[in-house]
Amino acid sequence: MRVGVLTGGGDCPGLNAVIRAVVRKGERQYGDRLVGFRDGWKGVIDNVTMPLDVERCRGILPRGGTILGTSRTNPYKVDEGVARVLKTLDAEAVDALVAIGGEDTLGVAHRLEGEGVRVVGVPKTIDNDLSATEVTFGFHTAVQIATDAIDRLHTTAESHDRVMVVEVMGRHAGWIATYAGIAGGAAEILVPEEEFDIDVVSDMIRRRHAQGRFASIVVVAEGAKPKAGSMAVQSGEVDQFGHVRLGGIGNQVAEEIEKRTGFETRVTILGHVQRGGTPTAFDRILATRFGVAAIDAVHDGAFGQMVALQAGDIVRVPLADAVGELKTVDPSLLHGVADTFFG
Ligand code: F6P
């Protein structure tokens, strides 16, 4: 078979491990000819390809990013986008496509399946907010990076008796904030799932510092929202999937805490550091398992399906289940585990 591979959306540690696994098993065990599309759906629309074979995939397992490149291009928002995708797949004689991406990329895959495209999905996102899979690769790496940063912030915060606000990624879901906050011993965690009250946060920090010299780490997900009317909110550019560019709530939270408590407050915005660099062993293994399962799914004709992790096993789920609803943080993690250590 001739199998196309693309990576779409924000990059994520582990993408190369998936590509390597698809190529390895495809070429060596199924006798497939693989072709890479550059920069997500953009490469399919414009027919920009890259040869993919076992030799080209050597050494990429521990490398972050994606050798195929990526973009947030949405064929449904580009002139003749869908027709151009179909034309390219025909011109390249592609029998099946493996689309590696998050909610947006897989949402497009799901719609294209309705147009007759034979596609299998692989879930990726550091945000871990895709339904139907217990975890996405990249999440574990992002949590480790954020936890390492929080560990470092503790010592400088303690030396100066300061409040440290750490902004992490998480547009719609606070998985990274919650996991890194628990692992890093945060005094407060603010997530998109629950509006926060800056007065309550500030009171808690005041009470904590009244007990003596205490540094406080406040972990804020970039998508965290203040209670209506309590603080100024930001706005930004919107991409082809309608997402606002985030980043900056940490600054606002830090400013408001300092104003209300009088405690010196500093902010660290981790940003894309969380997405860069080498994947953890866990993510390399999960990504490899997903890649192997994806090429198996192609050969079983399981189109319109996504590979997923459930109860430790790799399973197949309909793409529709993965993109229907975002997976948000389990409230029992925040209320019952994380908040045991707040204040
Ligand atoms: O979707 C993953 C993500 O890392 C989000 O957490 C974040 O809001 C976004 O990507 C950032 O996107 P960009 O790389 O386009 O700035």
Side-chain angles (χ1 to χ4, degrees):
M1 275 174 110
R2 178 136 158 104
V3 181
V5 184
L6 68 89
T7 53
D11 73 322
C12 178
L15 283 167
N16 286 325
V18 180
I19 297 167
R20 169 180 174 266
V22 169
V23 170
R24 179 78 175 208
K25 187 154 190 188
E27 189 180 298
R28 292 284 168 88
Q29 294 194 31
Y30 290 114
D32 291 333
R33 288 165 302 119
L34 283 299
V35 58
F37 286 102
R38 297 297 315 241
D39 305 330
W41 292 114
K42 188 171 189 299
V44 195
I45 294 169
D46 297 338
N47 196 359
V48 183
T49 61
M50 166 179 159
L52 268 186
D53 55 31
V54 168
E55 282 312 309
R56 280 188 177 81
C57 291
R58 291 213 190 280
I60 66 172
L61 173 64
R63 275 186 57 197
T66 161
I67 59 166
L68 292 176
T70 187
S71 73
R72 295 190 187 278
T73 305
N74 181 350
Y76 288 90
K77 288 284 158 65
V78 173
D79 242 8
E80 301 288 312
V82 174
R84 287 160 69 187
V85 164
L86 299 177
K87 193 170 160 214
T88 299
L89 295 178
D90 191 44
E92 289 294 324
V94 166
D95 301 302
L97 204 51
V98 174
I100 313 166
E103 174 211 357
D104 298 328
T105 304
L106 298 182
V108 169
H110 175 50
R111 289 179 74 178
L112 287 173
E113 209 248 332
E115 315 271 352
V117 176
R118 290 152 46 108
V119 60
V120 166
V122 177
K124 113 17 273 196
T125 165
I126 65 162
D127 291 355
N128 194 35
D129 58 2
L130 265 180
S131 290
T133 184
E134 276 164 16
V135 70
T136 45
F137 66 85
F139 171 63
H140 188 267
T141 305
V143 168
Q144 192 59 56
I145 292 167
T147 304
D148 290 346
I150 293 170
D151 286 350
R152 288 176 185 279
L153 290 170
H154 269 290
T155 60
T156 167
E158 283 155 16
S159 305
H160 291 266
D161 214 5
R162 278 176 176 159
V163 179
M164 290 287 183
V165 174
V166 189
E167 182 185 306
V168 298
M169 281 188 171
R171 193 194 287 279
H172 306 291
W175 287 103
I176 298 175
T178 305
Y179 269 57
I182 293 173
E188 183 65 75
I189 300 170
L190 309 178
V191 296
E193 287 86 342
E194 297 177 3
E195 286 188 349
F196 66 89
D197 184 332
I198 193 68
D199 289 319
V200 172
V201 173
S202 302
D203 283 350
M204 179 281 294
I205 289 170
R206 215 179 281 113
R207 277 199 308 278
R208 178 178 157 85
H209 284 234
Q211 296 165 34
R213 279 181 69 83
F214 270 117
S216 299
I217 305 282
V218 178
V219 182
V220 188
E222 62 181 350
K225 286 177 200 64
K227 214 175 72 179
S230 61
M231 272 172 59
V233 279
Q234 67 202 346
S235 62
E237 270 176 57
V238 174
D239 69 18
Q240 285 192 346
F241 288 94
H243 303 306
V244 176
R245 185 179 296 165
L246 297 173
I249 186 71
N251 283 320
Q252 293 169 286
V253 166
E255 204 177 299
E256 297 292 330
I257 290 175
E258 188 167 273
K259 207 156 66 185
R260 284 168 167 75
T261 64
F263 299 137
E264 257 195 308
T265 306
R266 296 287 189 268
V267 58
T268 301
I269 299 178
L270 288 181
H272 293 78
V273 167
Q274 292 158 98
R275 284 215 320 239
T278 187
T280 59
F282 177 90
D283 280 337
R284 293 181 203 186
I285 295 164
L286 181 61
T288 299
R289 291 177 77 194
F290 278 164
V292 165
I295 195 72
D296 285 343
V298 164
H299 284 272
D300 287 346
F303 301 116
Q305 305 274 305
M306 180 189 87
V307 295
L309 184 75
Q310 285 180 10
D313 292 327
I314 306 293
V315 298
R316 294 171 190 164
V317 296
L319 274 170
D321 291 1
V323 298
E325 205 184 326
L326 281 177
K327 184 181 69 188
T328 50
V329 173
D330 176 357
S332 71
L333 255 185
L334 283 167
H335 306 288
V337 181
D339 66 359
T340 306
F341 304 92
F342 289 178

